[in-house]
Amino acid sequence: MKRKQPLTLLALAMSTSSFSQTPEIISIRKYREENTAAIMKEYVDFLSIPNTANDAAGLKSNTEFIMRMMEQRGIQKVQLLEANTPNTPPVVYGEVNTPGATQTLIFYAHYDGQPVNPAQWAKGLQPFQPRLYTNALDKNGEPIPFPTDNKSFLPDYRIYGSSAMAPCTRVARKKLYLG
């Protein structure tokens, strides 16, 4: 039995160290915990902007919103790149330069979605009016108001709206992670 004890202690030490978190991860988690309400409000505001590919005014509002978010986060050279091809949505471009970096990382996200038919949405939901539910609709989630504090967003909550994504239920396409 004495022989197993050192192996058990070694296994315990290894598993504990594998679960430790870097200072960066701890800092990110702390920021999210302290700013959950503001992050969710910005996300809901973004989801509320119509983003169908055939709606030029809605796409313009999306690009302006995205550019503002990028600038607020210190992204440089934020600009709108127009396509030469008619009816092609513009590209929002920005740079984050890191001194000493040896590789380039590119993020691609589209903000133009497919047309939506509000009649096909469950329980009278509207595509560009995000709603918060206590759980998934198929698990009898009930609509609730969006919390205004940083502690009230629970893991089972789901946001329904065109373009909402995990951990909320994804219905369509706004694939932008800034935060």
Side-chain angles (χ1 to χ4, degrees):
M1 192 71 169
K2 286 185 179 185
R3 195 175 228 185
K4 289 185 179 180
Q5 186 177 11
L7 290 176
T8 304
L9 290 174
L10 179 62
L12 179 61
M14 290 175 60
S15 67
T16 302
S17 68
S18 68
F19 291 118
S20 64
Q21 296 179 353
T22 66
E24 293 84 3
I25 296 294
I26 293 168
S27 174
I28 292 167
R29 177 173 290 119
K30 183 179 179 198
Y31 176 86
R32 196 247 329 134
E33 288 171 352
E34 292 173 354
N35 295 282
T36 299
I39 292 167
M40 293 305 292
K41 181 184 180 325
E42 183 179 55
Y43 184 53
V44 169
D45 290 348
F46 190 35
L47 292 174
S48 299
I49 304 169
N51 71 324
T52 55
N54 60 358
D55 175 14
L59 291 183
K60 183 176 186 326
S61 295
N62 274 270
T63 60
E64 291 168 354
F65 194 93
I66 293 166
M67 291 173 74
R68 200 168 37 254
M69 287 193 308
M70 292 170 71
E71 289 165 350
Q72 289 169 351
R73 286 161 175 82
I75 296 174
Q76 294 101 34
K77 298 184 181 178
V78 175
Q79 55 190 296
L80 195 61
L81 305 176
E82 299 285 345
N84 291 329
T85 308
N87 301 318
T88 301
V91 173
V92 179
Y93 175 85
E95 294 181 8
V96 177
N97 293 305
T98 304
T102 59
Q103 295 182 343
T104 299
L105 179 63
I106 298 173
F107 290 93
Y108 169 79
H110 45 144
Y111 60 91
D112 60 320
Q114 296 299 310
V116 292
N117 180 350
Q120 294 175 335
W121 283 61
K123 293 190 176 186
L125 291 168
Q126 295 298 310
F128 301 108
Q129 295 174 4
R131 298 280 309 271
L132 183 64
Y133 280 74
T134 56
N135 209 324
L137 291 177
D138 62 353
K139 292 184 179 178
N140 299 317
E142 296 292 326
I144 57 173
F146 283 93
T148 57
D149 66 352
N150 293 324
K151 306 269 186 225
S152 297
F153 285 91
L154 301 178
D156 288 337
Y157 285 1
R158 299 292 181 262
I159 296 176
Y160 285 89
S162 182
S163 305
M165 297 179 53
C168 304
T169 302
R170 180 173 181 252
V171 179
R173 308 205 197 318
K174 257 181 212 166
K175 296 179 182 177
L176 188 64
Y177 295 103
L178 298 172

